[in-house]
Amino acid sequence: MPPIPRRNLLKAAAVTGAAVPFSWLLAKNAPQAAADSPAAKSADEPVDINWLEDGGLGAAAGSTFGVPWPKGTHPGDRTFALTTADGKEVPLQTWATAHWPDGSLKWTAHAAGEGLTGSAYKLTTGTPAAPAKKITVAESGGRITVDTGVIRAVIGKDGQRLVRSVTRGSTEIARDGRLVLLRQGDLDDGDHGSAAWERFDGEISGAKVEQRGPVRAVVRIDGKHRKGRRAWLPFSVRLYFYAGADSFRMVHTITYDGDQTAGHESGDFIRGLGVRFSVPMRDQAYDRHIRIGGEGRGFLTEAVKGVTGLRRDPGAGVRTAQVKGEKLPDPATWDQRVASRLHLIPTWGDYTLAQLSADGFTLRKRTKPGHGWIAAGGGGRASGFGYVGGVSGGLSFGLRDFWEKFPAQLDIRGAAGDAAEVTLWLWSPQAQPMDLRFYHDGMGQDTFPEQLEGLEITYEDYEPGFGTPYGIARTSELTFWANAATPDADTLVRQAAAVRTPPQLAAGPADIARAKVFGGLFAPVDRSTPARARIEDRLDFLFDYHKGQVEQRRWYGFWDFGDIMHTYDGDRHQWRYDVGGYAWDNSELSPDLWLWLAYLRSGRSDIFRFAESMTRHTGEVDAYHLGEWAGLGTRHGVQHFADSAKQQRISTALYRRYYYFLTADERTGDIMHALVDSDETFLVLDPLRKVREDPDYEPDPHALSIGFGTDWSGLAGAWLTEWERRGPKAKKAEARLRSTMETIAAQPNGFVQGSGLYDLDTGKYAIEDEPKVSVSHLSAVFGLVEVCAEVIELIDLPKFKEAWLDYCRYFNATKAEQKARYGTDFGSLILVQGHSRLDAYAAVQLVDDKLAARAWQKFTEFHEGDGYPDATTSWKTVELEGPRVLEPGVEAAWVSTNATAQYGLAAIQNLALVGDKLPG
């Protein structure tokens, strides 16, 4: 697809979009297979709950999952029970995450732990079973104590020890859990990092209990990293515990607030960022064990003092027991040629596994500081998991997305002493320091006219000082087990697998679809006709291709993993990773929405995981969480934070809420709540500053120019989510949603008016005296379709619905039809294929078969440079080999992320809305 001229983009940063409800679905859709039909169950029947991936719970503590409910089905105080397929009760904890306007439950979250031994479950109304080992939480002085019935964790409310101790029974397994930051003040641009660095330690500013059981407890800890008087790099850590579990999970978020401005003598370059625990070592050195996960199911299996491979044999039973991690018999029973010389066998106290790229790790060990390291192996992609301890107990630990978010590292130090020190490095100190400096010097683009010229050549919207990482964030997930003894090989494999892919329970597509949530813009996958099957095949092709490109092009790294590229360069057989606004996608044209709707209708675990990593990335890295731009996101570019267009359309809660409601992830909830007041960002940053004709313009809090498209959809998404979650600002959010809907509807041309003057105090748009036509192809492609579909179903405002239906009817209409309705046409518009779903929505609402036919016509026909038309799209890849490319692989040069996202959304929504009108 040709680039969208940036001048047009800026001028149109305020227009509109479209949406759709779901009440038509059962009546309008073509028949579906009974097992997949949203109508296959009545509202009071059980919901089927299954594992997202095969294999079930594994070694994880438990699972938290979300379930939607049709409006009016369950009152807010309804209780639920979970049973296995054969009727055994599973302890369950339930809480509401969203309500319908009538007060009934819209989404519930459920936590389950012990008893999850099957592959399939039933969620029903009823009294939940109580856990055999109920979780307890106690607060006293400066600490919080969580007891799962198996382990007990003491959590600090102040100081530097986030987790003061973890005990199992009477045995202390770990202590002094803390955060570590290594700061480097400068970089040697000769590609060698300076040796000068300083250590900061995480210091707690506050801790609170967010859930107290009986099945699940959550503790949140906030603070900054401190050394002396300076504190920086804010962190937010949540600890998750399940009743009856011997493990706990940590969700760790940092927000970058340093300075790496080019030209400064000293900058804030992160040399290392980690989570550290001390592990008491009580056993004899030969009964202490090291386990470090390699690739796949691989493990380094060693003892601190090994008795295998010696010149003299202690005995087969001794050797076998040590490899298994079992307690060795008294050395008096060994071959004395070994027992008498134990003091001459080295003890290996230090181990390091460093994953400095997505494709390679190295493993080293040494006896103790001051002595040389020796190679202990290596490989491609380590699991990010390890264990240190002995036959009397020890700590398993793991970092999720270990190689995907390189450079990462696992350290064990001092295992031969009284206590080992374990550090899970989120940023490896062996790597080059984290360099977040802007990637070029501005190239003389000091004025708006020069910057607009830059848009014409590299599609990059540059502005001095705007390419800053100040305020971006990153979240990591870690898991720890307090083991009573050294785990056997099978247990270690299960634990490592649970780190890599946390077991997730989920409702299926049919149960989700019949709840009519998210505007009802999806229906379960249906291949009942050749025409439907052909579209489904193409949807599968697009997902599989983009997933494959992540691997082929190595779109990995601490700040990069989860995003995809925007546009392809067929000449270089390479995505345009280094060309301005064509590089990282940053949610441009809503791939996030495409992926989540693709998951909801299919239940595919690979789509869920792909969407999950994108949500983690785009919600954290592509948006600002501190500073004057907090609440805004950054347009696509060579660096995720580089472009000077900071807008609502990227930070929007609409891209996050799917993941939140499906998993109840609290961090995602934080992000969405923080957006409720983001209308205030228009006071600090004018999105039209580069094209505004008035050079003396100053934002007026009573007359802010805010568009009805990309701007309002982002605001409305945040308000809708806060309202249905019943958040702290729910009343304000609902009032803002209603007042803006009312005043958009009251404009002379409704959504076609394009924008209005918004009053921050009243939350209303001023009603224009004269009609205006200002329509952009961008207005409806950043969530406006989806949010309008929801709010029209939730809030009875006929004028708003009428205004939205007019926009839907006329975007793809002929110029003559547009002129007849509005006195002028809409000009030259693109993204026709993506906008076919507006036709479909209007067709259903107005019961108009001609609009339904137009939806499929616009979806399939050729439009110059637009989408994937039937007649000209090959739907194939071609093989690539050297020397044309760095690594062999495939390409589909005709694919762009813009087109994929809009094709995917149009296909999914058209099938759900007017699938019965699909020709052929």
Side-chain angles (χ1 to χ4, degrees), residues 202-230:
E203 183 172 81
I204 299 168
S205 60
K208 64 178 180 179
V209 179
E210 294 185 327
Q211 282 192 333
R212 295 179 175 273
V215 173
R216 180 185 191 247
V218 183
V219 179
R220 174 174 173 170
I221 309 167
D222 293 285
K224 290 185 177 182
H225 297 79
R226 175 179 292 279
K227 179 187 178 185
R229 294 185 177 181
R230 188 185 179 192

Side-chain angles (χ1 to χ4, degrees), residues 23 128 204 255 285 293 351 440 461 559 579 594 762 767 808 850 888:
S23 56
I204 299 168
T255 305
Y351 289 76
H440 67 68
D461 192 359
W559 290 109
V579 184
W594 157 56
T762 65
I767 309 303
C808 293
K850 290 183 179 180

